[in-house]
Amino acid sequence: MTKFNAWNVIKNGLNGQSYWTRQWRDPEPKSIYDVVIIGGGLHGLATAYYLAKNHNIKNVAVLEKGWIGGGNAGRNTTIVRSNYMMPGNHEFYEHSLKLWENLSHELNYNVMFSQRAHVSLFHSPGAKDSVSRIYNIMRLHGTDAELWDLKTLMKKIPHLNYHNSRFPILGAAVQKRAGNARHDAVAWGYARAADTLGVDILQNCEVTGFTRKNGNIESIQTSRGIIKGKKIGFAVAGNTSVLWQMAELGNLPIESHKLQAFVSEAVKPLLDQVVVYGVGGAHFYISQSDKGSMVFGGDLDWYKSYAQRGNLPMVQDVAEAAMAIFPSLGRIRLLRHWAGVMDMTMDGSFFICKTPISNLYLNAGWNYGGFKASPASGWYFADLISNESPHNYVQNHNLERFEKGINIDERGAGPDPKLHG
Amino acid sequence: MIRINCPYCGERDHSEFSYGGDATINYPSLDASEKEWTQAIFFRKNIKGFQFETWHHSNGCRMWLVVERSTVTHEIKSVKPCHPDLQKVVENNK
């Protein structure tokens, strides 16, 4: 693998770009690995990378049923933030944000991480109180958080709709270190870096069954033959329940829902921040990509689904929210929209935990927020697989928390997966 | 758009309805163990394929319905009132 640096860029520029090597190998599956990670999304690739990097476990395979970057890794709105308040969550997401800050250097791959600020609008004194509480908790834990009054906000983002009498904008809760990144680059960067450390990335390798022996999973049947793993990790958000039942483990506190996202045609620089607007049942978030497209999304489609396509009522809903807050988008044309399948959990928080099978580990339940979590998710999942016990930050992110009554419910929405946005 | 054939109102867009959830949950008796209650409240089959689920015709007749729908293709096989006695009434009136 050729390293990306100024010297190689110049050298290849003079040689017709002919000396670059491929980004990662396309190996044949070995019969046995120390760790097999099922799911070649951002979380699976990050896990493989940190297993090799932090724990020196290099005989690792990542099984991906499609191709790298083709699942939820490529179906998100690329927002990175750490504005969480529940114990465990805020430490975890803050660590993730710190990993993001150095990720391009770490991976020798430009993930185009842009800390352009995450601006969450509020529209009532009650909402201001509520968000102040959360952002104060963040500050107490050393995360950056601030409130912008209306004057500051109008100066920073002058073209929001400040004349909405039903939901007047009163100000915004802001995390300046938050922003977004290029999702494809993150997938490719982790794949390339993991491959360099010896990880086998097996694409077009769909898991079709498991063979159990003495309580363990002995081998995995795949579309590319039988693969054995001393330890096995699931990182297949969206399809976790399917795999879980394939391993005959019963039910999970997860429902699969689909979430849509939208990309417009490219326009000149219009928006420097990530803006979030949520009132009266609407939920809308928008940023502008480096190409100039407006990238935005809204709520779930509100019914359980494994289909990777969205429905039209939600398109209308999101368009209405866009017009309510950003009237200048009225003439913009949509280039494409898509839906990704989310693991929506019963309390809106994730799982990085052991399972009833002693050599199987679970990484799942990322709700709306899997993209920003991927570096820390890989970090702590690798830590769990290597050390056999969860780090303090994720000690309650397990399947037992519901029976113990220690749900990690940021929204306080109760056990209804579709309500945890 | 999913079209749901409400037994009371006829076929309507799904945007008239609110999604409930899994219609096959059997809640245990009040003195059942914490494990059983945890399973009933928090754990789901999360079926990939046809499942029974509840929908509320919230912008129509406001009746709760059981819909048999595929979570992959969104095809609907059957729509019935939730309450078994109402199911009988609807059947008898056909």
Side-chain angles (χ1 to χ4, degrees):
Chain A
M1 188 266 302
T2 323
K3 252 181 111 65
F4 292 124
N5 53 34
W7 167 245
N8 278 331
V9 167
I10 294 165
K11 192 175 88 178
N12 281 288
L14 297 172
N15 287 320
Q17 309 291 355
S18 52
Y19 290 97
W20 295 110
T21 52
R22 59 180 296 155
Q23 303 278 298
W24 58 86
R25 297 165 294 129
D26 183 21
E28 281 305 306
K30 291 186 228 168
S31 60
I32 185 159
Y33 291 93
D34 290 340
V35 179
V36 175
I37 303 294
I38 301 174
L42 297 176
H43 294 244
L45 294 168
T47 305
Y49 173 71
Y50 291 116
L51 275 170
K53 173 89 192 307
N54 294 356
H55 305 282
N56 205 28
I57 301 172
K58 293 179 175 169
N59 187 21
V60 176
V62 177
L63 314 188
E64 166 56 46
K65 77 172 170 186
W67 65 95
I68 297 303
N72 285 351
R75 292 167 184 269
N76 52 70
T77 44
T78 75
I79 297 170
V80 177
R81 57 186 169 88
S82 71
N83 52 349
Y84 285 74
M85 67 166 184
M86 297 296 285
N89 275 358
H90 56 71
E91 295 96 334
F92 176 88
Y93 286 105
E94 178 55 22
H95 186 208
S96 202
L97 184 52
K98 284 180 179 155
L99 291 170
W100 276 105
E101 285 173 331
N102 195 42
L103 200 58
S104 292
H105 292 285
E106 173 79 23
L107 302 179
N108 179 234
Y109 206 97
N110 186 2
V111 300
M112 297 165 79
F113 181 47
S114 155
Q115 294 179 291
R116 57 181 65 183
H118 179 270
V119 179
S120 191
L121 307 175
F122 52 77
H123 307 265
S124 70
K128 184 182 180 184
D129 287 349
S130 167
V131 81
S132 303
R133 175 173 169 253
I134 297 171
Y135 278 55
N136 272 327
I137 291 171
M138 287 157 62
R139 288 179 75 107
L140 287 170
H141 286 89
T143 303
D144 71 308
E146 58 188 71
L147 294 184
W148 284 357
D149 59 13
L150 193 54
K151 209 176 139 196
T152 314
L153 184 63
M154 287 175 104
K155 201 175 160 197
K156 298 269 189 190
I157 316 176
H159 44 303
L160 292 177
N161 179 8
Y162 291 100
H163 306 291
N164 186 327
S165 49
R166 177 65 184 85
F167 297 112
I169 298 172
L170 301 185
V174 180
Q175 189 179 21
K176 277 190 173 168
R177 284 164 61 238
N180 48 19
R182 182 171 178 216
H183 51 196
D184 293 327
V186 186
W188 298 333
Y190 268 121
R192 175 172 170 272
D195 178 87
T196 309
L197 293 174
V199 172
D200 280 2
I201 294 165
L202 306 171
Q203 302 183 77
N204 300 311
C205 184
E206 184 174 0
V207 172
T208 53
F210 299 103
T211 308
R212 301 273 293 269
K213 194 180 174 187
N214 303 328
N216 281 358
I217 291 179
E218 194 202 22
S219 62
I220 306 164
Q221 288 125 39
T222 76
S223 52
R224 292 178 68 177
I226 289 173
I227 297 171
K228 288 185 179 182
K230 290 176 192 159
K231 293 180 178 181
I232 294 157
F234 285 178
V236 290
N239 284 295
T240 309
S241 295
V242 176
L243 217 53
W244 195 252
Q245 275 149 21
M246 208 184 272
E248 295 168 358
L249 286 167
N251 296 352
L252 276 174
I254 289 174
E255 275 187 9
S256 296
H257 285 261
K258 62 193 158 76
L259 179 61
Q260 298 191 53
F262 307 83
V263 170
S264 79
E265 60 190 327
V267 289
K268 285 190 173 178
L270 174 67
L271 182 62
D272 296 331
Q273 299 86 357
V274 178
V275 173
V276 182
Y277 166 65
V279 287
H283 185 195
F284 179 71
Y285 35 94
I286 185 164
S287 62
Q288 188 169 22
S289 77
D290 290 323
K291 275 192 291 190
S293 306
M294 305 307 291
V295 181
F296 51 96
D299 265 315
L300 296 172
D301 279 6
W302 294 126
Y303 54 83
K304 220 194 84 181
S305 174
Y306 283 92
Q308 286 178 314
R309 60 182 189 281
N311 70 39
L312 289 173
M314 194 47 68
V315 178
Q316 184 176 351
D317 198 67
V318 169
E320 284 168 358
M323 285 307 288
I325 199 67
F326 250 113
S328 56
L329 294 181
R331 302 286 296 273
I332 209 164
R333 285 167 297 188
L334 215 53
L335 268 191
R336 56 185 187 274
H337 75 116
W338 63 90
V341 183
M342 315 282 130
D343 275 1
M344 298 303 293
T345 67
M346 283 290 176
D347 61 357
S349 289
F350 61 88
F351 304 106
I352 289 183
C353 60
K354 293 179 151 190
T355 70
I357 296 177
S358 62
N359 70 336
L360 177 67
Y361 304 82
L362 179 67
N363 174 325
W366 293 97
N367 299 279
Y368 280 36
F371 180 72
K372 64 177 169 298
S374 38
S377 167
W379 183 284
Y380 292 106
F381 195 38
D383 179 75
L384 172 73
I385 291 170
S386 168
N387 296 327
E388 300 279 346
S389 72
H391 187 278
N392 278 348
Y393 294 174
V394 294
Q395 63 182 345
N396 291 326
H397 287 86
N398 53 38
L399 298 169
E400 291 79 43
R401 67 176 183 253
F402 298 101
E403 198 181 334
K404 291 182 190 160
I406 43 174
N407 304 358
I408 309 170
D409 192 340
E410 290 276 342
R411 278 193 129 185
D416 190 343
K418 66 180 178 294
L419 300 182
H420 295 283
Chain B
M1 184 77 79
I2 300 174
R3 300 273 288 173
I4 297 173
N5 192 8
C6 173
Y8 302 101
C9 311
E11 193 177 289
R12 301 294 175 86
D13 286 353
H14 86 263
S15 50
E16 279 188 19
F17 299 77
S18 311
Y19 182 67
D22 193 335
T24 62
I25 304 164
N26 286 319
Y27 289 101
S29 64
L30 286 176
D31 55 355
S33 67
E34 278 179 21
K35 266 210 157 53
E36 281 174 83
W37 271 104
T38 307
Q39 282 293 323
I41 292 175
F42 294 108
F43 285 72
R44 296 288 176 268
K45 283 190 200 115
N46 198 12
I47 292 167
K48 189 173 189 172
F50 278 97
Q51 66 165 16
F52 288 99
E53 59 193 20
T54 55
W55 287 78
H56 184 219
H57 199 176
S58 43
N59 291 321
C61 60
R62 303 198 60 77
M63 296 301 278
W64 279 95
L65 309 170
V66 177
V67 177
E68 188 183 7
R69 181 185 66 101
S70 165
T71 57
V72 182
T73 63
H74 302 165
E75 181 198 344
I76 291 176
K77 269 192 185 164
S78 69
V79 185
K80 286 177 182 167
C82 265
H83 199 288
D85 291 348
L86 289 177
Q87 283 180 19
K88 277 182 213 151
V89 173
V90 168
E91 300 262 307
N92 291 339
N93 286 345
K94 263 183 188 169

